[in-house]
Amino acid sequence: MPNMSIKKTILSGLSDRQKEAVTHTEGPLLLIAGPGSGKTRVMAHRVAYLVAVKKIPTNNILAVTFTNKAARELKERCERLVSYQKEFLQVRTFHGFCSRILRFEGENIGLSRDFSIFDEDDQKKVIKRSFEDENIDIKQHSPGKIISVISKLKNSIISPEKFSNEVTNFSEEIISRIFSRYQDILLKSNAVDFDDLLLKTFHIFDDNKYILDKYSDLYRYIQIDEFQDTNPLQFRVTKLLSDQNRNLCVVGDPDQSIYSWRYADPTNLTEFKKSFPESTTITLDQSYRSTQNILNAANSLINNNSARSDKNLWTNNGSGGKLILYETNSEEDEARIVLNEIKRLNQSENIPLDEIAIMYRVNAQSRSFEVICNRLAIRYRLIGGVKFYDRQEVKDILAYLRLVSNKSDDTALLRIINTPRRGISDRTVSEITRLAREEGRTIFEIISLIKEEKIKTNLIPRAIKSISEFIELVNNIFEVSNQMDITDLINYIIDKTEYRSYLRRDEEKSITRLENINELIASSDQYIGLDSDVQLSSFLENLALVSSVDFLETGDQIDSNSEELTLITLHQAKGLEYKVVFLVGCEDGLLPHMMSIGDIEALEEERRICYVGITRAKSHLYFSYSTTRMFRGSFGGQILSRFITEIPEHLIVRKRNMGYSNFHMPENSVSYNKDKLDLKTQKNSRSEKLIFLTGSKVKHDIFGEGIVMKNFGEDGEVLFSNFGIKKLMWNYAPIILLEDQNEINFIDPEIDSA
């Protein structure tokens, strides 16, 4: 095919701005891509353009995404567009790319090629071991918080030594000791955590110019997706790698930056412009996903944020219907109303359940919806359960494989040393761990010495016998591992350890667990075509690099032919789309989350989270909230999310239902029964005694509208949309009850008979 014909094919069907982004191949490019603007399509066509039109060899192109799912999708799209040497095109996650660098270059920093990658569960075990080694009471500290602090230090490029020199208090002293011991254990285990993948790659590039030059020459064209979700360390790695050629394209949207807890920094987009002042910026603001009413709501909401680019989403999809807001009496009512509407959409409008999603801010909100789904016989899938590769039986088999790959992996060894049970007690494990620490050796080395009677120990003969049998088992697996493909090796380990028999002892869960083992075996088939010496390492690496945001891959595998409603958190919904979206629990304290109120930056991120939820919807968008909710163990009144009030009223149809369920209000809670509460008789001058029941809606001269959270008689607490909780004296505060708090349209939902 002539070059012009190829070019025409690649650019066919693209908008003018999309074409501009695809053909801008030389020099730095910042692509601001709004939700539904076709950014994945642009990225795929851009790679195809480089290969087919610019004749850039595929091995000179590096495309970086944030999830393995996104990487596969991009690679598949490229393959559909143009024929090329597929095996040479590098489409990887950030961690996957860094892992590859370390496999080849890690020896420069004392890391052998067969290193293990520790996940969160492994990290916690190493942290607990660190506490034991340092003789510190772990009960006084949270392993999860310690891991979080260490992660933050690593992403700030702070070493244990540097942190130790900056300690200012006792708490930091404890963290410093644990951090240092934690890294020692990783080093001796020939292992890294996810933060190390980035940090060690940075150090290799920063400290070894010849290595940096080698990879800069190799990857002359770099393209990075979801750049707003990169952290400062990822940005520094990117800058080092692209500084020479400057052919760097970053794609992102600051309005969709919602991972600050993972140290994502949306200001990296600003830093990009500073680091590459010659860069071109192209904004994709045409949405191919949503109707204009949905986009208008999203635009109005996000315009309240200060830290954002100038972007206004538009579409040719038509205005679409108005957005629906349900006000309900309780979370049970909320679930019933939402799910009855879903049932109607499915049965009357023929909208498949798998085109509908219920989205919420907090995982715990799924409970009431799961209950009603079961009552109404609505099939659903809950996103965010125990991930496949986090399941006990799967991690056990993977631990055997990790030990085969890396004998220094103490964490893997400790996991399976008595799994299945083989008479090795906790006391025995403590003794060999102590010896390993004192001798400065790995646990595998210690138990080998014990078997060979080359080291003194306090162990009884029975314990030594059990250890000897274990080491013989492991050595046998070592011996055969080089003679088998990965699938046969897994089967051999399962048979040799009698793992299936071990699972069958638990009659209640054995079937599910055996199915998971079979699924693991099946997943290894794709690696059989590789050279035998890299099958195991490739298999383990790819599994280790499955990111936490790849929830659809790592969670329960869903039958693509099944029709199920999706229950999902707003964070997990990023990158997905549905015809119908129900954004539930739209209350101050939930969305925005209570922890963000009073913090401008945190509040803006919460607004971005809401923006992400809104822009998942194609044609139907619903909001719902409850005026009362059990939250954090206490029952109280709730106020409509300030984010919903930021959406123009003409875009929303408000519908209200009270008393729909048999739910009984606790004593002293607000009642909306007009026979019990005559609001008009309670609006008095300040000289008269006012009655402020919990849940009453009020207006303050300074603080604006709010809802009474607690009433102590003469005073109480009020939650205000923009000022948080205030304690007020009823007889002196410039405050009135709102007359119109019940003047909302009622709905008459169909009551289920289930």
Side-chain angles (χ1 to χ4, degrees):
M1 185 185 294
N3 196 56
M4 288 302 295
S5 180
I6 295 174
K7 181 177 179 180
K8 185 177 180 181
T9 299
I10 292 173
L11 299 180
S12 176
L14 300 178
S15 70
D16 290 343
R17 285 192 183 177
Q18 288 176 330
K19 289 176 183 177
E20 185 183 358
V22 167
T23 57
H24 189 290
T25 58
E26 307 303 312
L29 172 65
L30 172 58
L31 188 59
I32 304 295
S37 62
K39 68 163 179 126
T40 305
R41 188 182 188 202
V42 169
M43 291 170 64
H45 281 249
R46 193 171 181 277
V47 171
Y49 189 87
L50 283 168
V51 173
V53 180
K54 301 290 290 187
K55 303 299 181 183
I56 306 298
T58 51
N59 62 323
N60 291 150
I61 302 170
L62 172 65
V64 179
T65 66
F66 258 75
T67 69
N68 292 286
K69 180 174 178 287
R72 285 198 301 271
E73 183 181 358
L74 179 59
K75 201 163 186 176
E76 288 167 1
R77 290 199 184 200
C78 292
E79 291 172 0
R80 290 197 294 266
L81 284 169
V82 65
S83 177
Y84 60 87
Q85 291 178 293
K86 301 173 185 178
E87 66 272 19
F88 293 122
L89 179 62
Q90 298 295 308
V91 183
R92 298 181 178 273
T93 65
F94 247 113
H95 291 96
F97 168 72
C98 290
S99 178
R100 179 178 174 84
I101 297 297
L102 293 181
R103 294 291 178 195
F104 286 101
E105 311 295 344
E107 291 180 354
N108 290 276
I109 55 172
L111 193 66
S112 66
R113 296 188 67 169
D114 59 353
F115 65 83
S116 299
I117 302 174
F118 281 9
D119 61 15
E120 188 175 348
D121 186 55
D122 297 323
Q123 286 179 278
K124 287 180 179 177
K125 289 177 179 176
V126 176
I127 288 291
K128 290 177 181 178
R129 185 178 161 192
S130 300
F131 272 95
E132 292 173 2
D133 290 353
E134 292 295 318
N135 205 21
I136 300 172
D137 186 4
I138 196 170
K139 294 178 182 177
Q140 304 298 319
H141 307 274
S142 166
K145 287 184 179 179
I146 297 289
I147 291 171
S148 180
V149 172
I150 291 174
S151 178
K152 187 175 183 178
L153 290 170
K154 288 184 177 184
N155 279 278
S156 302
I157 318 180
I158 297 174
S159 67
E161 295 75 20
K162 183 180 179 182
F163 184 66
S164 178
N165 293 330
E166 298 174 352
V167 165
T168 59
N169 55 54
F170 179 72
S171 178
E172 289 181 354
E173 171 67 24
I174 295 295
I175 293 171
S176 174
R177 289 167 61 186
I178 297 301
F179 186 13
S180 183
R181 183 61 191 149
Y182 172 83
Q183 286 302 115
D184 285 344
I185 294 174
L186 288 182
L187 181 63
K188 289 175 181 174
S189 299
N190 190 35
V192 297
D193 59 25
F194 269 68
D195 295 313
D196 282 331
L197 291 173
L198 301 172
L199 183 59
K200 291 183 182 296
T201 300
F202 168 76
H203 283 309
I204 285 176
F205 285 162
D206 198 43
D207 298 337
N208 302 273
K209 189 175 184 303
Y210 72 96
I211 296 177
L212 177 62
D213 287 344
K214 178 171 70 174
Y215 287 97
S216 294
D217 289 339
L218 178 62
Y219 300 120
R220 294 188 287 116
Y221 293 85
I222 302 174
Q223 182 171 279
I224 299 177
D225 190 18
E226 303 288 6
F227 199 69
Q228 79 280 349
D229 293 331
T230 56
N231 60 39
L233 185 53
Q234 289 167 325
F235 181 77
R236 294 183 72 169
V237 171
T238 300
K239 191 174 183 304
L240 283 171
L241 196 59
S242 58
D243 229 11
Q244 180 178 310
N245 295 302
R246 317 284 286 182
N247 296 323
L248 172 63
C249 170
V250 300
V251 186
D253 181 8
D255 292 336
Q256 296 187 74
S257 179
I258 61 174
Y259 297 123
S260 63
W261 47 275
R262 263 187 353 210
Y263 314 114
D265 188 357
T267 62
N268 279 351
L269 292 169
T270 307
E271 289 301 312
F272 175 85
K273 293 182 179 180
K274 291 179 181 177
S275 299
F276 300 89
E278 75 276 29
S279 65
T280 298
T281 300
I282 299 173
T283 300
L284 303 180
D285 52 9
Q286 181 180 0
S287 173
Y288 299 90
R289 175 188 298 159
S290 306
T291 62
Q292 192 62 56
N293 277 344
I294 293 172
L295 297 179
N296 287 344
N299 290 331
S300 298
L301 172 71
I302 206 64
N303 280 335
N304 289 278
N305 274 7
S306 57
R308 62 182 304 270
S309 60
D310 186 20
K311 178 175 82 284
N312 206 51
L313 300 174
W314 63 278
T315 187
N316 287 325
N317 292 342
S319 59
K322 288 190 176 184
L323 288 55
I324 306 295
L325 170 63
Y326 289 139
E327 178 180 341
T328 67
N329 186 31
S330 68
E331 52 195 308
E332 285 78 8
D333 277 348
E334 180 183 39
R336 282 191 180 87
I337 291 167
V338 166
L339 286 163
N340 271 297
E341 176 64 4
I342 288 172
K343 200 170 182 180
R344 187 194 68 78
L345 290 168
N346 177 240
Q347 295 176 353
S348 300
E349 297 190 25
N350 295 317
I351 298 176
L353 286 177
D354 55 11
E355 281 284 349
I356 306 173
I358 297 174
M359 300 180 184
Y360 36 82
R361 177 65 177 85
V362 179
N363 264 309
Q365 291 175 256
S366 72
R367 183 200 59 80
S368 58
F369 294 95
E370 290 184 72
V371 169
I372 305 301
C373 275
N374 289 324
R375 288 182 188 173
L376 295 176
I378 295 175
R379 289 173 57 86
Y380 70 94
R381 54 176 175 173
L382 178 66
I383 305 300
V386 178
K387 302 178 180 69
F388 179 79
Y389 295 110
D390 284 346
R391 293 169 189 172
Q392 177 183 324
E393 59 276 11
V394 174
K395 288 183 75 71
D396 287 345
I397 301 303
L398 291 179
Y400 277 100
L401 293 172
R402 282 169 49 182
L403 190 60
V404 171
S405 176
N406 174 18
K407 292 182 181 179
S408 300
D409 192 338
D410 285 353
T411 302
L413 187 149
L414 289 173
R415 181 179 185 93
I416 49 90
I417 192 170
N418 198 42
T419 303
R421 297 190 180 281
R422 49 180 63 93
I424 300 176
S425 67
D426 290 345
R427 182 178 296 180
T428 301
V429 172
S430 295
E431 173 66 7
I432 61 177
T433 303
R434 180 189 66 81
L435 288 170
R437 181 174 65 251
E438 292 178 356
E439 296 290 326
R441 295 175 178 269
T442 67
I443 293 176
F444 186 85
E445 290 173 328
I446 290 297
I447 60 178
S448 298
L449 292 172
I450 292 173
K451 180 180 182 297
E452 297 167 6
E453 298 181 352
K454 293 182 178 180
I455 190 172
K456 290 184 178 180
T457 172
N458 297 322
L459 296 175
I460 62 175
R462 187 173 60 187
I464 294 174
K465 181 176 182 294
S466 296
I467 288 175
S468 298
E469 290 173 351
F470 172 69
I471 204 72
E472 287 174 3
L473 168 70
V474 174
N475 282 331
N476 175 262
I477 296 172
F478 286 152
E479 290 172 8
V480 302
S481 63
N482 292 326
Q483 307 164 25
M484 297 180 173
D485 61 44
I486 180 64
T487 301
D488 289 340
L489 178 60
I490 295 173
N491 277 310
Y492 185 83
I493 290 170
I494 292 170
D495 292 342
K496 198 71 177 176
T497 60
E498 299 182 348
Y499 196 84
R500 284 194 174 90
S501 297
Y502 164 70
L503 291 182
R504 289 191 181 100
R505 295 172 197 169
D506 185 351
E507 294 182 3
E508 186 179 345
K509 299 179 180 178
S510 63
I511 295 176
T512 300
R513 289 183 170 180
L514 287 167
E515 287 175 346
N516 289 333
I517 292 297
N518 291 334
E519 181 64 26
L520 177 67
I521 295 169
S523 71
S524 67
D525 283 347
Q526 59 185 297
Y527 297 89
I528 292 178
L530 300 175
D531 293 340
S532 57
D533 59 336
V534 298
Q535 283 186 28
L536 177 57
S537 60
S538 298
F539 178 67
L540 290 173
E541 180 171 329
N542 285 335
L543 294 191
L545 291 172
V546 172
S547 168
S548 61
V549 293
D550 285 333
F551 52 89
L552 289 177
E553 297 180 283
T554 59
D556 291 315
Q557 298 299 304
I558 306 300
D559 182 358
S560 60
N561 296 318
S562 67
E563 186 184 317
E564 295 171 313
L565 170 70
T566 298
L567 307 183
I568 190 170
T569 68
L570 287 164
H571 278 98
Q572 293 169 322
K574 190 169 181 291
L576 304 178
E577 61 181 26
Y578 300 88
K579 188 171 184 175
V580 184
V581 167
F582 287 82
L583 215 168
V584 301
C586 296
E587 304 147 24
D588 270 10
L590 280 177
L591 183 69
H593 195 275
M594 181 180 295
M595 299 296 290
S596 70
I597 296 176
D599 184 329
I600 294 176
E601 288 188 5
L603 192 63
E604 292 207 346
E605 176 154 331
E606 291 290 307
R607 188 175 281 109
R608 293 194 293 270
I609 292 171
C610 186
Y611 175 83
V612 166
I614 290 173
T615 54
R616 300 311 93 195
K618 296 179 182 179
S619 60
H620 296 62
L621 178 60
Y622 295 79
F623 304 106
S624 67
Y625 81 107
S626 175
T627 57
T628 56
R629 185 179 296 272
M630 184 68 71
F631 190 60
R632 295 192 172 185
S634 61
F635 190 92
Q638 300 294 107
I639 190 171
L640 178 65
S641 169
R642 66 193 69 192
F643 297 156
I644 307 303
T645 67
E646 292 170 355
I647 298 173
E649 290 185 7
H650 71 271
L651 294 175
I652 299 177
V653 176
R654 296 169 66 97
K655 297 185 177 183
R656 182 175 179 211
N657 171 262
M658 294 304 196
Y660 175 49
S661 71
N662 293 322
F663 183 79
H664 295 289
M665 306 282 287
E667 209 173 317
N668 299 323
S669 296
V670 62
S671 172
Y672 288 89
N673 187 323
K674 289 189 176 183
D675 293 332
K676 294 183 179 180
L677 181 61
D678 188 347
L679 294 172
K680 291 185 178 181
T681 63
Q682 293 180 46
K683 187 190 177 188
N684 297 304
S685 66
R686 222 171 285 167
S687 63
E688 298 175 306
K689 188 172 182 178
L690 298 175
I691 301 174
F692 295 97
L693 298 181
T694 302
S696 297
K697 296 180 182 180
V698 298
K699 187 174 184 180
H700 191 280
D701 287 357
I702 298 173
F703 303 135
E705 294 186 10
I707 191 165
V708 178
M709 305 299 290
K710 293 180 181 178
N711 185 351
F712 303 115
E714 297 297 323
D715 59 14
E717 293 180 355
V718 180
L719 175 63
F720 295 99
S721 297
N722 297 315
F723 294 91
I725 294 177
K726 299 291 182 181
K727 190 170 183 178
L728 303 173
M729 300 289 290
W730 301 136
N731 288 335
Y732 299 97
I735 189 172
I736 61 169
L737 283 162
L738 292 179
E739 285 189 77
D740 62 348
Q741 51 188 320
N742 279 339
E743 294 176 5
I744 308 174
N745 294 330
F746 277 77
I747 59 171
D748 185 23
E750 179 184 339
I751 299 180
D752 69 272
S753 58

